[in-house]
Amino acid sequence: MTERLLKYFREKQQDIQSEKTYDTQCPFCSMQCKMQLIEQTIVTRKKYTAIGIDNPTTQGRLCMKGMNAHQHVLHSARITHPLLKKNGEFVRATWDEALNYIKEQVTTIQQEDGHDAMAVYGSASITNEEAYLLGKFARVGLQTKYIDYNGRLCMSAAATAANQTFGADRGLTNTLSEIPHTRVIILGGTNIAECQPTIMPYFEKAKENGAYIIAIDPRETPTTKIADLHLKIKPGTDAALANGLVKIIIEEQLINEDFIQTRTTGFEELKRHTAAFSIHDIVEKTSVPLEYIRKAAVKFAKEESGMLFTARGIEQQTDGTAAVRGFLNMLLITGKIGKPYSGYGAITGQGNGQGAREHGQKADQLPGYRSIEHEEHRAHIAKVWGISQDDLPRKGVSAYELMEKINEGRITGMFLMCSNPIVSNPNANFVKQALAKLKFFVAIDLFISETARLADVILPASSYLEDEGTMTNVEGRVTLREASRPCPGEAKHDWQIICDIASVLGKGQYFSYTSAEDIFNELREASRGGIADYSGITYDRLRQEGGILWPCPEPGHPGTERLFESSFAHPDEKAKLSVIQNEPAVQKEKPTAKYPLFLTTGRVMSHYLTGVQTRKSAALAARHFESFMEIHPKTAEAYNVEDRALIKIESPRGSIVVRSKWSEQMRPDTVFVPIHWADSQNVNDLIGDDLDPTCKMPGFKVCTVRISSA
Ligand SMILES: Nc1nc2c(c(=O)[nH]1)N[C@H]1C(S)=C(S)[C@@H](COP(=O)(O)OP(=O)(O)OC[C@H]3O[C@@H](n4cnc5c(=O)[nH]c(N)nc54)[C@H](O)[C@@H]3O)O[C@H]1N2
Ligand SMILES: Nc1nc2c(c(=O)[nH]1)N[C@H]1C(S)=C(S)[C@@H](COP(=O)(O)OP(=O)(O)OC[C@H]3O[C@@H](n4cnc5c(=O)[nH]c(N)nc54)[C@H](O)[C@@H]3O)O[C@H]1N2
Ligand code: SF4
Ligand SMILES: [Mo]
């Protein structure tokens, strides 16, 4: 370095008047990268730098979203005091005014319309403590059966498939550290390179070590680029593809007979089922050439070890549960689970997508992955909560079904925490109309999101820099996010807000916590003996060990690195193979003369979900400031669509206008639109409301559309 440069840096250094550091974890995806935000005061200006901190999962890495996450938290649009809607305008209120108004309105609604007229809609971006407390708040504070959360739109198909097949659902059955040693990898409907970027080195290392990688995606993406074989499937046909792979493995006698005999049930039915259809049907349905399907099947079956990963491309379908079960059939008949370097991973989405699906936010669930319809489970939780088992409500309905109940007038009041459903739910125009019918609507958010605009009250929550608590990451590893920055203005932590509301509703005795750790200690008891058992985990241990994989049933237990080594979690200890259909029970839309193209949806690296946060981050928004439609140049020519032109996309549900982007990486029969924009660019205005009958996942990944110049 030259003298001049050194002098410059020395002077710069002197300009720094003070420096503070805040430990935390990134607020976005399930990697939960640990980081430190350095806040330097330079004369009158503040400078922020995020650096990655070493930990077992992400080893100090950060992606562009993590590096810039503080920008939205520090943005001037952040709400810092309660807001009440008066004559259509939001006005500033004190916490007392807001809480008293909530008490009045909730009491009136529950007197007039019944306890179940109040609903709660939660999130997988809040901490375990808050997810647990929100479930308790619905059942004890409001005594309503109606609670569900945004994870229904995210992990429900994978979770249901794993529960049905293995008897337990921890997204990854192995640790990430096993990936570099496996011989063959399937990446099904997952774009990890853009959606969990800091996971990539595990796969790159596997490739360096000679692993064969198979990707299944209708598009070429930065993830499919690392694959040796890319099956560029027709959208929505993964269940048929899985059946085809299984058929070939059985017919070419590449099965692991010993594993099938000792560890699974249902093989004979599966074999009969796959013998009954022709492989040419599968080729026709999926449009994947026979030699590719065969190559994938043979390669996966023959290698000594192998790992299967799925994400929303396969799962966000009206037959998402069946499609995942189809791929799990392949994993099981080749015996590739419960041993080193072999296993399954449903790549979790949101930061706490794993933990928030374990502790009672789901309509039919109690903490510890217990069932709300199981008498012993009810008794355990009623005891921990200090209530009579008879007072515990029964199961409610899924996220989108809550919207239908609101539309029917069966639910008239709602608390919404940390989600933006009028943008993220399917058939978004309907959802918007439904929410407008609520007599009383409270949104708890960092910003006035598109959905919060419809609320009667908005309460200001704290962010990842301020709110301490545990998160369970992509591996199923419980981590402690040690956030300590003071809340801006009058914002409060989500758990404090829940406690305050419970208190004005006269239920304060059940919600008298003084810290997140206090809540965690109750969660440990509630989860004790359940499938997701956290009882051996403490804040002190998390600080010392940097994270613990559940189940962890005792203080001296090290946590569980690999699941299902000697038994599965069903009572007979076996995994269940299943017969799944090539065609879904709920028919998907097929191209017609009126709507000739498939539309599929997904993500880009720089934005997160409905974009409320990342669109406020200058560094991230600059990369993609508006929505777009990827289209193959040949298709574009056929429909007279120029590159970078404004295009109207219509489905039977609605229409949006986005910019066209020619891309050779698309299938000619399919266009792609990301999900990060709202209002006239909200792709969910186009998506239909059919749900997977088993897990109630919407079919986010396929509908049919027509396009024209805007
Ligand atoms: N940058 C960024 N990262 C994120 C998020 C974000 O919004 N932005 N969100 C987080 C969350 S909550 C989630 S759930 C995850 C989502 O992570 P992913 O599931 O990996 O993300 P998607 O882009 O929705 O879909 C993955 C891929 O599925 C493909 N696909 C579409 N239709 C089909 C199909 O019919 N079959 C198959 N096999 N593939 C199909 C798409 O082309 C896409 O490349 O990412 C998390 N990480
Ligand atoms: N078509 C289509 N639709 C999809 C998908 C798709 O692939 N295609 N993916 C689906 C998936 S996987 C998901 S996960 C959903 C998610 O969709 P949403 O649940 O709508 O998720 P976000 O956009 O993250 O909304 C989070 C909101 O909470 C606020 N927030 C952030 N942090 C906090 C906090 O700590 N406390 C509180 N109280 N508020 C906070 C943010 O400002 C934002 O307004 O979208 C689904 N919708
Ligand atoms: S978005 Fe995901 S990969 Fe990127 S820094 Fe945040 S947690 Fe890590
Ligand atoms: Mo998600």
Side-chain angles (χ1 to χ4, degrees):
M1 206 179 284
T2 64
E3 262 312 298
R4 244 180 75 212
L5 261 180
L6 274 173
K7 185 161 169 273
Y8 172 79
F9 281 123
R10 261 198 304 274
E11 278 167 6
K12 274 265 152 247
Q13 208 56 33
Q14 280 159 10
D15 287 345
I16 297 170
Q17 283 142 353
S18 69
E19 183 174 291
K20 289 185 187 145
T21 56
Y22 301 105
D23 285 332
T24 187
Q25 290 172 199
C26 173
F28 299 126
C29 84
S30 58
M31 292 303 287
Q32 279 307 288
C33 299
K34 280 197 177 280
M35 59 159 86
Q36 191 172 65
L37 184 71
I38 305 170
E39 182 184 78
Q40 295 173 325
T41 308
I42 304 169
V43 196
T44 55
R45 190 171 68 84
K46 289 212 193 299
K47 183 182 172 214
Y48 295 90
T49 315
I51 53 168
I53 300 290
D54 191 28
N55 70 94
T57 305
T58 65
Q59 303 166 334
R61 293 185 283 273
L62 283 185
C63 81
M64 64 162 83
K65 285 191 299 306
M67 284 177 205
N68 294 296
H70 56 277
Q71 291 178 347
H72 78 266
V73 167
L74 304 170
H75 194 280
S76 59
R78 180 93 187 264
I79 47 169
T80 55
H81 44 73
L83 295 169
L84 298 191
K85 197 179 265 166
K86 290 193 177 151
N87 303 323
E89 298 285 320
F90 284 113
V91 294
R92 180 176 180 158
T94 65
W95 275 99
D96 277 349
E97 281 166 344
L99 289 166
N100 283 327
Y101 186 46
I102 289 171
K103 176 189 172 177
E104 245 170 56
Q105 295 292 317
V106 172
T107 311
T108 309
I109 283 182
Q110 291 199 312
Q111 272 166 3
E112 287 176 1
D113 303 340
H115 274 121
D116 289 334
M118 285 303 305
V120 176
Y121 191 108
S123 172
S125 291
I126 52 180
T127 64
N128 285 319
E129 290 78 355
E130 289 156 351
Y132 165 80
L133 212 59
L134 202 62
K136 180 174 176 183
F137 171 71
R139 277 72 176 236
V140 179
L142 295 171
Q143 288 183 287
T144 178
K145 65 178 173 183
Y146 288 128
I147 174 166
D148 211 54
Y149 78 127
N150 67 4
R152 179 71 62 177
L153 317 177
C154 180
M155 298 306 298
S156 62
T160 304
N163 279 324
Q164 290 179 346
T165 308
F166 308 135
D169 150 47
R170 191 185 83 185
L172 255 63
T173 60
N174 308 52
T175 56
L176 290 173
S177 62
E178 294 194 37
I179 294 171
H181 309 288
T182 194
R183 298 297 308 150
V184 54
I185 294 170
I186 294 186
L187 297 172
T190 168
N191 186 5
I192 42 177
E194 293 195 82
C195 295
Q196 290 81 13
T198 60
I199 210 172
M200 284 307 277
Y202 291 103
F203 291 89
E204 282 154 3
K205 194 83 198 147
K207 200 170 164 75
E208 257 172 61
N209 291 344
Y212 188 81
I213 302 184
I214 302 158
I216 309 166
D217 197 307
R219 302 186 301 144
E220 284 166 43
T221 67
T223 306
T224 64
K225 286 205 170 64
I226 68 162
D228 299 281
L229 179 65
H230 176 194
L231 313 185
K232 210 168 170 179
I233 191 168
K234 187 189 289 177
T237 62
D238 297 273
L241 176 65
N243 269 334
L245 294 163
V246 168
K247 180 181 173 73
I248 291 170
I249 291 169
I250 295 176
E251 289 179 359
E252 305 209 2
Q253 295 177 351
L254 299 171
I255 55 173
N256 182 332
E257 279 187 48
D258 184 43
F259 189 91
I260 292 172
Q261 277 297 317
T262 54
R263 308 260 344 241
T264 72
T265 57
F267 181 67
E268 286 310 317
E269 291 89 327
L270 177 62
K271 187 173 170 183
R272 268 198 302 278
H273 173 62
T274 52
F277 57 80
S278 141
I279 194 70
H280 299 290
D281 281 355
I282 304 292
V283 171
E284 201 188 305
K285 280 190 187 0
T286 60
S287 86
V288 180
L290 178 55
E291 67 266 30
Y292 282 25
I293 304 180
R294 197 174 169 279
K295 186 151 194 192
V298 171
K299 197 78 190 163
F300 192 79
K302 277 194 170 165
E303 288 287 355
E304 164 75 27
S305 58
M307 294 175 106
L308 164 72
F309 296 90
T310 66
R312 308 307 87 79
I314 284 179
E315 301 160 15
Q316 286 175 326
Q317 305 278 355
T318 51
D319 62 347
T321 310
V324 175
R325 292 201 76 182
F327 283 98
L328 294 179
N329 282 339
M330 179 183 60
L331 195 75
L332 289 165
I333 62 168
T334 56
K336 287 199 167 54
I337 187 162
K339 62 177 191 180
Y341 321 136
S342 291
Y344 171 56
I347 307 275
T348 298
Q350 295 165 88
N352 199 26
Q354 180 70 51
R357 72 179 190 262
E358 300 164 355
H359 299 297
Q361 275 192 100
K362 279 183 177 172
D364 59 353
Q365 193 198 50
L366 290 173
Y369 233 132
R370 287 185 163 86
S371 162
I372 205 162
E373 295 295 337
H374 189 293
E375 294 312 312
E376 275 168 41
H377 294 186
R378 291 169 64 82
H380 175 81
I381 298 299
K383 192 159 167 242
V384 174
W385 287 352
I387 60 166
S388 155
Q389 195 179 322
D390 297 335
D391 289 339
L392 204 51
R394 294 276 163 178
K395 72 173 177 195
V397 298
S398 73
Y400 185 78
E401 291 169 310
L402 285 177
M403 303 301 165
E404 293 177 326
K405 292 243 177 287
I406 294 169
N407 189 52
E408 292 160 12
R410 304 269 289 278
I411 292 171
T412 53
M414 185 163 88
F415 286 98
L416 169 73
M417 179 173 276
C418 193
S419 180
N420 189 11
I422 68 164
V423 184
S424 54
N425 269 238
N427 203 10
N429 282 322
F430 165 83
V431 173
K432 197 169 173 179
Q433 282 162 24
L435 289 186
K437 292 185 182 174
L438 285 169
K439 290 183 191 166
F440 186 57
F441 180 20
V442 180
I444 304 159
D445 206 298
L446 311 179
F447 300 102
I448 305 179
S449 70
E450 288 77 14
T451 308
R453 277 185 216 151
L454 303 177
D456 300 293
V457 180
I458 309 179
L459 300 176
S462 62
S463 75
Y464 79 107
L465 286 177
E466 299 125 14
D467 189 17
E468 181 184 65
T470 63
M471 311 285 276
T472 305
N473 74 13
V474 67
E475 295 184 291
R477 196 186 295 273
V478 183
T479 62
L480 177 60
R481 183 176 78 187
E482 301 204 70
S484 62
R485 197 168 192 273
C487 289
E490 295 170 21
K492 293 189 187 191
H493 303 314
D494 286 305
W495 65 264
Q496 291 175 320
I497 297 173
I498 298 170
C499 294
D500 286 354
I501 299 172
S503 174
V504 292
L505 294 177
K507 297 293 169 74
Q509 69 190 101
Y510 303 104
F511 295 86
S512 58
Y513 310 94
T514 53
S515 65
E517 185 171 4
D518 216 5
I519 304 166
F520 188 74
N521 285 333
E522 187 181 296
L523 182 161
R524 290 171 57 204
E525 284 316 307
S527 76
R528 187 185 295 280
I531 288 175
D533 191 332
Y534 284 33
S535 57
I537 304 175
T538 62
Y539 270 35
D540 279 347
R541 278 193 68 183
L542 291 175
R543 282 194 187 99
Q544 277 159 27
E545 296 169 42
I548 298 172
L549 291 139
W550 69 255
C552 178
E554 275 147 45
H557 191 286
T560 309
E561 298 217 324
R562 192 181 302 123
L563 297 178
F564 314 136
E565 286 184 289
S566 55
S567 61
F568 290 98
H570 285 304
D572 66 359
E573 302 196 343
K574 295 196 173 170
K576 290 187 185 1
L577 293 164
S578 60
V579 166
I580 62 150
Q581 303 307 320
N582 292 326
E583 280 291 332
V586 181
Q587 280 290 324
K588 296 177 193 182
E589 287 177 358
K590 300 226 164 79
T592 58
K594 196 165 179 197
Y595 298 104
L597 292 168
F598 286 118
L599 164 77
T600 192
T601 62
R603 288 141 170 90
V604 299
M605 163 97 93
S606 63
H607 280 291
Y608 190 70
L609 293 176
T610 67
V612 176
Q613 291 158 279
T614 45
R615 279 184 275 124
K616 293 193 184 65
S617 175
L620 298 173
R623 288 169 192 264
H624 285 286
F625 62 89
E626 62 176 354
S627 189
F628 59 87
M629 172 191 75
E630 278 182 5
I631 183 168
H632 194 280
K634 274 196 201 140
T635 317
E637 269 163 25
Y639 290 91
N640 282 326
V641 167
E642 282 176 27
D643 195 15
R644 303 185 177 277
L646 283 175
I647 299 300
K648 184 170 174 188
I649 315 178
E650 294 170 274
S651 85
R653 270 82 42 191
S655 72
I656 61 172
V657 175
V658 299
R659 200 164 292 280
S660 68
K661 189 173 163 192
W662 286 19
S663 166
E664 301 264 352
Q665 298 171 341
M666 293 302 300
R667 289 171 57 96
D669 60 359
T670 306
V671 296
F672 169 83
V673 178
I675 61 172
H676 314 294
W677 285 270
D679 303 323
S680 60
Q681 297 202 317
N682 180 6
V683 73
N684 276 322
D685 286 351
L686 307 176
I687 299 287
D689 62 0
D690 285 339
L691 306 178
D692 178 320
T694 323
C695 66
K696 311 291 178 179
M697 168 69 88
F700 281 129
K701 287 291 190 269
V702 203
C703 78
T704 54
V705 293
R706 64 167 175 244
I707 54 174
S708 55
S709 294

